[in-house]
């Protein structure tokens, strides 16, 4: 039996710890962007190093982009790309599935 390469690609991204939560977090941001410190503050269990690595990984996959605003101080924010926003549609059924089956 051959594994679907598209499903394999999806799980290469979403199967890694924090990736789906970072994408979900950015999708909930009111202005569509968040600073590193905001993401770290709200995803309390991720270490700064892990967050930095995950953001870089998601940038490399083309799911988020890093925005640098010049000034004093320089402001860096992260936002979903069109590709990243389209992935949030796939996360909604997963969230509903977890709500149904993960009764805590």
């Amino acid at each position: 039996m051959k594994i679907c390469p598209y499903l394999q690609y999806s799980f290469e991204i979403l199967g890694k710890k924090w990736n789906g939560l970072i994408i979900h977090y950015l999708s909930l941001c009111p202005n569509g962007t968040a600073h590193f410190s905001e993401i770290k503050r709200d995803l309390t269990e991720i270490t700064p190093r892990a967050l930095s690595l995950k953001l870089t990984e998601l940038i490399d996959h083309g799911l988020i982009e890093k925005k640098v605003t010049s000034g004093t101080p320089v402001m860096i924010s992260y936002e979903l790309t069109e590709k990243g926003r389209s992935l949030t549609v796939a996360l909604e059924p997963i969230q509903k599935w977890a709500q149904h089956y993960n009764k805590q």
Side-chain angles (χ1 to χ4, degrees):
M1 177 181 340
K2 185 175 173 157
I3 300 296
C4 172
Y6 303 112
L7 189 60
Q8 183 176 354
Y9 172 72
S10 301
F11 279 101
E12 284 175 9
I13 296 168
L14 293 176
K16 293 182 179 174
K17 189 172 183 178
W18 299 112
N19 286 357
L21 288 175
I22 292 169
I23 292 167
H24 178 68
Y25 178 85
L26 289 173
S27 75
L28 297 176
C29 292
N31 60 357
T33 66
H35 300 284
F36 185 95
S37 60
E38 295 170 321
I39 302 168
K40 174 62 188 103
R41 178 193 67 215
D42 294 332
L43 298 180
T44 58
E45 295 180 22
I46 192 169
T47 66
R49 175 160 167 68
L51 178 57
S52 180
L53 292 171
K54 293 301 174 178
L55 289 169
T56 300
E57 181 179 335
L58 293 170
I59 289 168
D60 291 345
H61 280 294
L63 297 168
I64 64 173
E65 61 183 339
K66 182 179 182 177
K67 298 273 189 173
V68 179
T69 306
S70 60
T72 306
V74 172
M75 300 296 287
I76 298 173
S77 59
Y78 298 89
E79 68 180 70
L80 292 173
T81 62
E82 181 181 338
K83 182 179 177 182
R85 284 189 301 276
S86 69
L87 183 57
T88 62
V89 175
L91 295 177
E92 290 171 13
I94 295 170
Q95 182 181 10
K96 288 181 181 172
W97 174 85
Q99 282 176 308
H100 185 268
Y101 287 103
N102 189 18
K103 307 287 186 203
Q104 293 185 359

